[in-house]
Amino acid sequence: MGFSCGIIGLPNAGKSTIFNALTALSVAAQPYPFCTIEPNQGIVPVPDERLTRLASLVHPEKVTPTTIEFIDIAGLVKDAHKGEGLGNRFLGQIREVDAVAHVVRCFEGMNVPHVYEGIDPLRDMEVVETEIIISDLEIVEERLDKMERLARVSKEKHGPEQDVLHRVKAVLEAGRFVDPGAFSGEEALLLASFNLIAAKPLFYIANIDEADMEKAPLPFVEEAAKGRGRQVVYISGKLEEELAVLPADERQGFMDMYGMPGAGIERIIKTGYAILDLITFYTVVGKEMRAWTVRRQTIASKAAGKIHSDMERGFIRAEVIAYEDFVRAGSEHAAREKGWARVEGREYVVQDGDILHIRFNV
Ligand SMILES: Nc1nc2c(ncn2[C@@H]2O[C@H](COP(=O)(O)OP(=O)(O)OP(=O)(O)O)[C@@H](O)[C@H]2O)c(=O)[nH]1
Ligand SMILES: [Mg+2]
């Protein structure tokens, strides 16, 4: 499985519309709040120009891109934690994702009611993120209560888990998201085990009016995002939905007509990759060429484990050709002849674009 991204936001922000465009599926997206109740899940191939280029040189029978999973959930409203709207229990559906995309409504859409008065992206960011923080606080407090009850019975002393929970609680109570970078080693593992949404990387999808594409980036949205240390992808959900169903040869003309800087879905996927610090490497095994996703700084034996656990266990060495060298040489054979294929050990840090041949023995 590749990486996963949860889609959050107010009702009628355009989450399902964007999900549809991303996955080219057609789930219900209607101009009434709480249209989505059960989550929608879709797996999307990651568009990858390098994979296309490599495949044009290697001519494999099968080309398998890496994937990203999107989960579209119900809309959150103010006081969801007190049961407003659909409540906040459904946030459990995105507790295990790697990243969160927060769709913020910037389009007027006269016939699409807003749950609050008027278009105000900053208010909406505040409302949704406050509910995320409160939902996480509930989890942290429940966990602390449970540990304290256990401690009374078993007389166990205060452990590292409680320390981490208290630290996280203080951050959430101050109304902030948690910075996982402030935790290291065992503490970081404990933090990850709580599956807090407020500790996941988050970026904004500003859903703007189809007529406003040329106005992006919007200064007040940029400022709010920057203040929170986050990136923004500007798209028009409506246009993306139409673009997704157009034949490939008509897409460029459509994007030019509306001043779209490339397909929004590609920008969303690229942003997800950037904030998660992901890289792609490639393999050719038998007749299949395949792209794989790992975090930057992953070592060769771990990367091999992504392909198959036997490959990690029995890892001997990796034969590596950098993407540019492969393309410059024109084939694996030519790259080898030129001495551009390197032999690396298990501790080699895999680089973005590497073409790997794993030698293993089990
Ligand atoms: N004009 C305009 N309408 C849009 C845009 N994006 C979405 N809409 C419309 O807004 C309405 C709500 O969109 P949805 O995608 O269902 O919104 P949602 O965030 O999934 O809403 P819930 O499931 O209720 O939480 C639909 O009628 C969409 O067609 C946009 O960029 N421009
Ligand atoms: Mg929806």
Side-chain angles (χ1 to χ4, degrees):
M1 191 55 226
F3 286 81
S4 55
C5 182
I7 304 176
I8 62 166
L10 289 182
N12 272 351
K15 299 179 298 299
S16 298
T17 305
I18 292 165
F19 174 86
N20 278 340
L22 283 164
T23 57
L25 291 176
S26 262
V27 301
Q30 299 295 334
Y32 50 82
F34 306 116
C35 171
T36 304
I37 298 175
E38 290 302 317
N40 300 305
Q41 280 169 269
I43 294 173
V44 182
V46 173
D48 183 343
E49 287 152 21
R50 289 182 304 192
L51 180 65
T52 311
R53 184 79 204 276
L54 289 171
S56 74
L57 297 172
V58 175
H59 305 297
E61 275 179 16
K62 190 172 173 207
V63 180
T64 308
T66 174
T67 56
I68 182 159
E69 180 182 31
F70 287 96
I71 306 174
D72 166 39
I73 59 169
L76 267 176
V77 286
K78 185 168 164 19
D79 292 335
H81 67 286
K82 294 183 191 156
E84 284 295 318
L86 296 174
N88 68 0
R89 309 302 295 175
F90 61 84
L91 285 176
Q93 294 152 356
I94 56 157
R95 290 226 163 263
E96 315 221 330
V97 299
D98 298 301
V100 177
H102 180 172
V103 177
V104 184
R105 176 162 172 179
C106 304
F107 67 91
E108 281 290 342
M110 290 309 177
N111 53 352
V112 182
H114 199 298
V115 281
Y116 302 116
E117 206 50 44
I119 301 301
D120 186 347
L122 310 193
R123 170 204 57 206
D124 299 354
M125 287 177 184
E126 202 66 56
V127 166
V128 170
E129 281 153 35
T130 300
E131 290 303 319
I132 298 280
I133 287 171
I134 294 172
S135 164
D136 280 356
L137 254 179
E138 286 169 2
I139 289 185
V140 168
E141 280 166 357
E142 262 170 39
R143 180 111 205 127
L144 270 172
D145 277 355
K146 194 168 152 201
M147 295 191 74
E148 270 151 30
R149 261 182 285 127
L150 277 176
R152 271 200 295 275
V153 181
S154 68
K155 305 247 177 335
E156 261 181 46
K157 61 178 182 12
H158 202 79
E161 184 168 348
Q162 272 151 307
D163 288 339
V164 175
L165 285 165
H166 280 295
R167 266 173 75 189
V168 170
K169 187 167 176 241
V171 174
L172 295 172
E173 281 175 343
R176 294 201 311 272
F177 269 43
V178 181
D179 172 15
F183 296 79
S184 58
E186 191 197 355
E187 289 182 344
L189 292 177
L190 283 167
L191 174 65
S193 75
F194 305 146
N195 281 335
L196 300 177
I197 300 173
K200 295 182 194 291
L202 183 149
F203 65 100
Y204 295 112
I205 300 180
N207 190 8
I208 60 180
D209 215 88
E210 41 279 36
D212 287 347
M213 274 318 285
E214 318 254 357
K215 293 194 193 142
L218 303 175
F220 61 107
V221 175
E222 284 302 296
E223 202 178 306
K226 206 170 279 159
R228 295 162 143 86
R230 295 182 181 135
Q231 298 191 40
V232 191
V233 181
Y234 293 87
I235 70 168
S236 159
K238 264 256 143 335
L239 291 183
E240 294 298 331
E241 203 173 31
E242 289 172 33
L243 183 70
V245 295
L246 277 186
D249 59 339
E250 290 175 25
R251 287 193 192 154
Q252 194 56 52
F254 184 89
M255 290 192 283
D256 292 344
M257 188 162 73
Y258 287 100
M260 297 166 76
I265 60 164
E266 292 198 14
R267 286 179 284 128
I268 290 172
I269 292 171
K270 281 193 179 133
T271 304
Y273 262 56
I275 65 168
L276 289 166
D277 216 10
L278 302 177
I279 61 164
T280 306
F281 72 90
Y282 304 92
T283 57
V284 183
V285 177
K287 301 193 184 327
E288 184 181 15
M289 162 156 257
R290 195 160 170 172
W292 304 87
T293 303
V294 287
R295 287 196 192 261
R296 200 179 293 282
Q297 300 301 332
T298 297
I299 58 171
S301 58
K302 291 278 174 217
K306 183 98 193 167
I307 305 170
H308 199 290
S309 54
D310 282 353
M311 284 194 170
E312 181 174 352
R313 256 190 316 127
F315 185 93
I316 302 171
R317 63 177 188 271
E319 291 162 17
V320 186
I321 306 174
Y323 171 78
E324 282 75 22
D325 289 342
F326 196 106
V327 171
R328 204 147 43 105
S331 72
E332 182 176 337
H333 182 75
R336 284 180 192 280
E337 299 260 283
K338 292 183 189 293
W340 294 344
R342 288 169 282 129
V343 173
E344 302 280 4
R346 64 170 53 245
E347 297 295 326
Y348 168 70
V349 176
V350 175
Q351 302 296 304
D352 190 32
D354 276 354
I355 292 106
L356 296 185
H357 202 105
I358 309 288
R359 301 286 175 190
F360 69 109
N361 186 10
V362 278

